[in-house]
Amino acid sequence: KKKKKKKKKKKKKKLRRQFRNSTKKHMNILAFGASTSKSSINQQFAHFAAHRFEGEINMIDLNDFEMPVFSVDKEAENGYPDEAHELHEIIEQADFLVISMTEHNGSYSAAFKNTLDWCSRLNNSVFHDKPMLLLSTSPGKLGAKFVLEAALSRFPRHTANIIGHFSLPSFGENFKDGKIANEELAKEFDD
């Protein structure tokens, strides 16, 4: 079992290196924090991670895609919000996705979950098989690992091609001056 896990981890590392080495300058990178907080640490972390790759970076804010709370009744009465269509289009036009997950009570933020609900009803292929770096961070020592685990399990069902994932614990201590300050964590992130 351990050998299988090590093999899988090596394969993921190899995929990430291949991706980094094959990135084009004109690559369109879409990045965002799965939060609506104006001072979102996950938005900051997604920004940092996106800038580790060469290409044109499109940072979006979930506040610009605010939608009514999903219900089948609203869907039947009004169809899909324009914001769901717009977000699908933006994701489809991207070459690479960087998403940093915010954890609220061990799960997705309500705003992100609502966005995912609407987008997946419109088209289950939310992530359009785009290569994705999936991240999480929090002020606490667990680094939003529970939501990261949930996303790692759920996103492939919505055609996420997750080529790497990383959780940064204790954001305030480990992220300073726009970068990962802890050398050990910085090395782990770069691997």
Side-chain angles (χ1 to χ4, degrees):
K1 207 173 186 179
K2 282 185 179 182
K3 280 185 181 181
K4 202 174 188 181
K5 207 173 187 179
K6 270 188 174 182
K7 230 180 192 179
K8 197 174 182 182
K9 200 171 185 177
K10 273 188 174 181
K11 187 178 177 185
K12 286 279 187 190
K13 276 187 176 182
K14 186 178 177 184
L15 280 172
R16 286 194 304 260
R17 278 194 208 105
Q18 285 174 342
F19 182 77
R20 281 190 181 135
N21 293 336
S22 69
T23 55
K24 320 168 267 212
K25 287 201 182 223
H26 64 277
M27 182 172 67
N28 181 12
I29 302 167
L30 175 64
F32 64 92
S35 168
T36 52
S37 169
K38 288 179 182 170
S39 58
S40 169
I41 59 177
N42 280 281
Q43 189 77 354
Q44 292 173 54
F45 195 36
H47 181 270
F48 159 79
H51 282 84
R52 306 288 288 179
F53 299 92
E54 288 190 35
E56 184 179 323
I57 297 165
N58 179 13
M59 288 294 303
I60 61 170
D61 184 336
L62 283 187
N63 287 301
D64 296 331
F65 299 91
E66 192 172 327
M67 298 177 232
V69 174
F70 176 80
S71 77
V72 290
D73 296 332
K74 287 179 186 172
E75 179 184 27
E77 289 171 27
N78 306 316
Y80 304 105
D82 291 340
E83 294 83 359
H85 288 280
E86 186 182 350
L87 190 53
H88 258 290
E89 191 176 307
I90 290 169
I91 292 170
E92 195 168 18
Q93 290 172 358
D95 296 313
F96 182 54
L97 307 174
V98 177
I99 302 175
S100 188
M101 301 302 297
T102 299
E103 186 174 282
H104 290 181
N105 296 317
S107 190
Y108 305 128
S109 67
F112 179 79
K113 177 66 169 80
N114 190 56
T115 300
L116 182 62
D117 288 345
W118 276 114
C119 288
S120 65
R121 293 294 286 202
L122 174 62
N123 178 347
N124 191 55
S125 181
V126 175
F127 302 111
H128 301 280
D129 292 310
K130 304 296 179 173
M132 177 190 294
L133 175 59
L134 189 57
L135 308 168
S136 69
T137 190
S138 72
K141 292 181 195 253
L142 293 179
K145 280 190 177 184
F146 294 119
V147 73
L148 184 62
E149 289 170 8
L152 285 166
S153 171
R154 183 77 217 168
F155 285 12
R157 295 179 186 145
H158 299 292
T159 66
N161 176 12
I162 302 167
I163 63 166
H165 64 278
F166 180 81
S167 172
L168 180 68
S170 306
F171 183 82
E173 294 170 31
N174 293 319
F175 193 86
K176 297 187 185 298
D177 302 321
K179 63 183 181 190
I180 299 175
N182 179 299
E183 285 181 30
E184 195 174 301
L185 289 170
K187 185 178 181 328
E188 186 182 331
F189 178 84
D190 285 336
D191 283 343

